[in-house]
Amino acid sequence: MEIAKANIVRSEAGRDKGKLFFVLNVDGEYLLLADGKERKAERPKRKKQRHVRFVSAGAGSLCEKIRSEERVTNSELRKALAVFRGEQDPSQEG
């Protein structure tokens, strides 16, 4: 499956292996990834597509904001990933 903007992916290589990220932009074979905690929206991680695995197609208001290139806050990213993971209290995220 082709990875697109606002999808959720899991890193398969590097020191961030196993972590979930939102795709903020697709630039050829590279993706710009952010999770709102270690990788902020202001400085997304640039990673090759072959080093990540597709997890979920983005849905909801946050994904619509990403697709329409509106400003996305780090807390929105953290909360959305926490909800996706099924964590109890996303307000406790760093």
Side-chain angles (χ1 to χ4, degrees):
M1 172 170 216
E2 185 70 25
I3 297 174
K5 208 179 220 191
N7 286 350
I8 298 175
V9 296
R10 173 174 284 117
S11 175
E12 294 291 319
R15 64 176 66 178
D16 56 7
K17 184 176 181 176
K19 295 187 180 174
L20 295 175
F21 295 95
F22 271 102
V23 178
L24 299 183
N25 206 348
V26 179
D27 182 25
E29 69 178 75
Y30 289 96
L31 305 171
L32 294 179
L33 309 174
D35 65 359
K37 188 173 184 178
E38 294 175 20
R39 274 299 173 170
K40 309 285 187 187
E42 299 83 32
R43 291 186 48 93
K45 171 75 176 162
R46 185 173 179 249
K47 200 165 188 84
K48 286 190 175 186
Q49 285 192 28
R50 68 179 182 209
H51 293 153
V52 299
R53 291 286 174 252
F54 173 82
V55 174
S56 174
S61 61
L62 176 62
C63 295
E64 291 303 317
K65 283 179 77 171
I66 293 172
R67 285 187 196 107
S68 65
E69 299 185 9
E70 292 181 42
R71 186 176 181 280
V72 177
T73 65
N74 292 313
S75 65
E76 288 174 321
L77 293 171
R78 286 193 307 269
K79 288 177 185 177
L81 287 173
V83 168
F84 180 79
R85 283 189 222 106
E87 292 181 359
Q88 301 297 333
D89 190 6
S91 64
Q92 295 298 319
E93 278 289 310

